[in-house]
Amino acid sequence: MNTPVGVIVGVGEGNGAALARAFAQTGMTMALLARQSGLTEELAATLPGARAYACDVADSASVKETFARLRSELGDPTTVVYNAGSGVWGDVESISLEAFETSWRVNAYGALAVSREVIPAMKAAGSGNIIFIGATASRRGGPKTAAFAPAKAAQRSLAESMARSLWPAGIHVSLIIVDAVVDLPRTRRGMPDKPDSFFLKPDDMAASAVWLAQQPRSAWTFEIEVRPFGEKW
Amino acid sequence: MNTPVGVIVGVGEGNGAALARAFAQTGMTMALLARQSGLTEELAATLPGARAYACDVADSASVKETFARLRSELGDPTTVVYNAGSGVWGDVESISLEAFETSWRVNAYGALAVSREVIPAMKAAGSGNIIFIGATASRRGGPKTAAFAPAKAAQRSLAESMARSLWPAGIHVSLIIVDAVVDLPRTRRGMPDKPDSFFLKPDDMAASAVWLAQQPRSAWTFEIEVRPFGEKW
Amino acid sequence: MNTPVGVIVGVGEGNGAALARAFAQTGMTMALLARQSGLTEELAATLPGARAYACDVADSASVKETFARLRSELGDPTTVVYNAGSGVWGDVESISLEAFETSWRVNAYGALAVSREVIPAMKAAGSGNIIFIGATASRRGGPKTAAFAPAKAAQRSLAESMARSLWPAGIHVSLIIVDAVVDLPRTRRGMPDKPDSFFLKPDDMAASAVWLAQQPRSAWTFEIEVRPFGEKW
Amino acid sequence: MNTPVGVIVGVGEGNGAALARAFAQTGMTMALLARQSGLTEELAATLPGARAYACDVADSASVKETFARLRSELGDPTTVVYNAGSGVWGDVESISLEAFETSWRVNAYGALAVSREVIPAMKAAGSGNIIFIGATASRRGGPKTAAFAPAKAAQRSLAESMARSLWPAGIHVSLIIVDAVVDLPRTRRGMPDKPDSFFLKPDDMAASAVWLAQQPRSAWTFEIEVRPFGEKW
């Protein structure tokens, strides 16, 4: 229980797995959270001391219970990366109220539920990292992001509110805006004509997350965006 | 049923009542929605043809039912102003998950629920106005707005998404960011030392809403902020 | 000398001429400034009491002299619209240092030079309007706007600084961001396939400028954007 | 001539010197530019292979000549940090046109003049870093930043335009927004009551610049802000 504990919330095959590997390499014991624990079990087996937890971030009881277990098994987290963030595509006429709510619940409500579980110990320690993985949609509502953009905007606003109240207590709250198509077998199959320079590599994104977590506190950054060099923006 | 129908959602003694009076003066038949119908009944009695409706915007069934009744009694709304927007003050540690959700439900979820009720007829007519009353908090999360800012950010993002998909159909979606303390007996009592120049007069704000609703469509505005000339910003 | 005096700086056949007509219709005596006075002489002849002045906004001596003459002939301006704003297109490698400087001089330096001429009398009167006609490029540097965007960004920043220091003195400084192709014989010829809904009509834009100039001061707006309803954004 | 060449433009005792030390430690041969070369000579003597150059960034001939000499003496720069950025404080009524122009010339015009000197070789190499040191004022004009904010806004806009056109060529253009009082003997004397947590340490800021210069190119960042953890924002 003496190594620092890192938590990745929302571990899929792309950014989530890369974040888990990157923070594990800094010597952290990792807790890997996902709705189903198939992939996370496999990944945990490759990272020293890591454990997988099934958790539905949209359900505050599930969050509460998962973190209670996690704390008792691994100790208080020192770094949490909130990577949960599915989204439905569609304009205001085609999305349902349910999709609008689910999007918000996964991106914003869950972000608060998770944060509340880890803030008290971080505050007592006078240090800690809470990193949100955001999206360009957080800055602007597009015609087809009537459900996703408001959810990400709420998440970004919450992150900023948290940064401004928690930084003075030594907790580095930050936000990484991913403005890219992630390089995955699935996305490559779907866009076979795009060049390498079009895709963001999860490991490269994760390197920026680790850097944020290690910034000296006289010069902290709240928000960065990451984007492939060949991308139009 | 031949006069245009205007709806104010969220009618209190300040901006809501002023909006109702201002649009009534342009010749509209007004529908006044609030959770309780005491104040709205009184106000409706002073505006020709106006009616009060009790409606809880956080409850999609209540929204659905209210608008069904409203449409059958008055006809399809041509202008809707979404002025619902209570908010809880507090930082991330002091707000509850419930307050966070309620804030979002009133400011963002209800905004979508209401919009969905009026878009089809506006689209069929090729014209209409949907105006959201927002807040500065929509642009930035402050230390003490951990519940309110994310809710208003979600609302603003939704409004922008709607504007970008509905303008080409002739529906003018816009947003008024109120950056002010509203001039009310209650706020004056609470801030007895502030000069007149510090307060926003509801009628002046409402004049801007009417102006937005009348802009010629070759030069529409999405977002304005209104702020007293004497305010520091 | 008893009617209010309005000044349009940068009068061409499109927005400038429309602004001149619109403010003249509110009863103002108009001063029309442009580098050459051919077009402005013709336009002045159609507006009661209006006068044309040749002025190079990039040259502070020309600005000083023009406003001295204007004040002595018409009186102190109560409303000034700064519509000067030519720009060179090109990326960082293709623009020259000279084009970069000229862009800034016309859009930002001239804006300050003009403002300084009218602020003292407005301040003494406790009222006045200074309206800048900006561009979307002021918010974001694009690949091809290496000269134009920095110039418009500087103008917008100056306008905001002025608003925040001059509003309390009763001077309404505001900014209209034109996000459109203006409807002119020239632009129509260049884009023959675009529908009507793609173009901004100068008279409609000018109506918004007049509205800003008449806003009651308990609810002033600093910035609006105007954009045709059919435009993608 | 085989080690990479780094250039710091605008080297003072604070951020400039820290940037020089930080990039020297990555193995770069440093060129240190300042208007006067007293301080830079001393600093150059402590960094292997470093040289000091007197250069007035507001004068394009001086920039041209300095970079010609620098290239012939050290080789083509691979990393340039533009740290020049003096500014005059004052509202629109108190600044002079000259101060407004000087501010722009140092912050924006010089940034373009310097960039044009290094882009061709970076483009030929398919790699390179151009980092601008910006300020919060670039995002917003304040009452007292009528000269400084427009200059920094122009710089930021130029940086963004450059990033969007040069990234695809492999040149990483980025911007560091310093939102802090820098920890210097002078600032400490001026604010003796402020705690350590209020000040930004130049070495900590410089570490972020080095990190930006080393980001893998599938996940580049354009803009970061750095701010002490104890600062109110």
Side-chain angles (χ1 to χ4, degrees), chain B residues 39-56:
Chain B
L39 175 67
T40 48
E41 297 282 6
E42 282 177 47
L43 181 59
T46 71
L47 305 172
R51 296 204 184 190
Y53 297 87
C55 178
D56 178 1

Side-chain angles (χ1 to χ4, degrees), chain B residues 100-179:
Chain B
F100 187 76
E101 176 159 351
T102 300
S103 231
W104 170 78
R105 215 166 271 289
V106 172
N107 286 287
Y109 179 87
L112 176 60
V114 164
S115 298
R116 290 166 61 90
E117 294 298 321
V118 299
I119 291 170
M122 289 183 180
K123 213 169 168 186
S127 68
N129 271 284
I130 303 175
I131 302 175
F132 296 94
I133 306 299
T136 315
S138 68
R139 295 176 170 173
R140 202 160 177 221
K144 297 286 183 200
T145 55
F148 185 60
K152 281 295 185 191
Q155 182 191 66
R156 181 182 183 231
S157 178
L158 172 65
E160 191 176 28
S161 171
M162 287 174 56
R164 292 170 73 188
S165 73
L166 297 176
W167 279 24
I171 306 174
H172 188 182
V173 180
S174 61
L175 174 66
I176 299 178
I177 293 190
V178 177
D179 183 21

Side-chain angles (χ1 to χ4, degrees), chain D residues 41-207:
Chain D
E41 296 282 6
E42 281 178 46
L43 181 59
T46 70
L47 304 173
R51 296 202 184 192
Y53 296 87
C55 179
D56 179 0
V57 293
D59 172 359
S60 62
S62 170
V63 170
K64 206 169 191 61
E65 184 199 41
T66 302
F67 273 83
R69 197 146 60 82
L70 186 165
R71 279 192 301 261
S72 85
E73 293 177 0
L74 301 176
D76 285 317
T78 57
T79 293
V80 174
V81 184
Y82 193 83
N83 185 52
S86 58
V88 170
W89 242 240
D91 64 24
V92 63
E93 295 171 272
S94 65
I95 59 163
S96 65
L97 281 164
E98 290 69 33
F100 188 75
E101 176 161 350
T102 300
S103 232
W104 169 79
R105 215 166 268 288
V106 171
N107 287 286
Y109 179 86
L112 176 60
V114 163
S115 298
R116 291 166 61 91
E117 294 297 321
V118 299
I119 290 170
M122 290 183 178
K123 215 171 169 186
S127 68
N129 271 283
I130 302 175
I131 303 175
F132 295 94
I133 305 300
T136 315
S138 67
R139 295 176 170 173
R140 202 162 177 219
K144 299 284 183 200
T145 54
F148 185 60
K152 280 297 187 190
Q155 181 190 65
R156 182 182 181 229
S157 178
L158 172 65
E160 192 175 29
S161 172
M162 286 174 57
R164 293 170 73 187
S165 73
L166 296 176
W167 279 23
I171 306 175
H172 188 182
V173 180
S174 61
L175 175 65
I176 300 179
I177 292 189
V178 177
D179 184 21
V181 175
V182 177
D183 195 349
L184 296 173
R186 171 168 48 86
T187 55
R188 288 284 190 158
R189 276 194 306 275
M191 302 168 128
D193 299 335
K194 292 286 184 184
D196 274 13
S197 63
F198 176 77
F199 296 94
L200 174 135
K201 293 189 208 315
D203 290 341
D204 290 347
M205 190 283 287

Side-chain angles (χ1 to χ4, degrees), chain A residues 4-5 18 20 34 37 57 77 89 92 116 125 129 139 157-158 167 169-170 174 188-189 205-206 211 214 221 226 233:
Chain A
V5 174
S37 52
V57 294
W89 243 240
V92 64
R116 291 166 61 90
N129 271 283
R139 294 176 171 172
S157 178
L158 172 65
W167 278 22
S174 61
R188 287 284 189 157
R189 276 195 304 275
M205 191 280 289
W211 169 76
Q214 296 177 344
T221 295
V226 287
W233 52 290

Side-chain angles (χ1 to χ4, degrees), chain B residues 163-164 167-168 199-201 204 208 211 215-229 233, chain C residues 163-164 167-168 199-201 204-205 208 211 215-229 233:
Chain B
R164 292 170 73 188
W167 279 24
F199 296 94
L200 174 138
K201 294 190 207 314
D204 290 346
S208 285
W211 168 76
Q215 268 189 319
R217 69 187 195 170
S218 102
W220 274 355
T221 295
F222 167 59
E223 180 175 349
I224 68 167
E225 70 219 326
V226 289
R227 187 187 283 125
F229 78 103
W233 52 289
Chain C
R164 294 169 73 187
W167 279 23
F199 296 94
L200 174 137
K201 294 189 208 314
D204 290 347
M205 191 281 289
S208 285
W211 168 77
Q215 270 190 317
R217 68 187 196 170
S218 103
W220 274 355
T221 294
F222 167 59
E223 179 175 348
I224 68 167
E225 70 220 324
V226 288
R227 187 186 283 127
F229 78 104
W233 51 291

Side-chain angles (χ1 to χ4, degrees), chain A residues 33-35 53-64 66 106 110:
Chain A
L33 276 60
R35 239 184 325 172
Y53 296 87
C55 178
D56 178 0
V57 294
D59 172 359
S60 63
S62 170
V63 169
K64 208 172 190 62
T66 302
V106 171

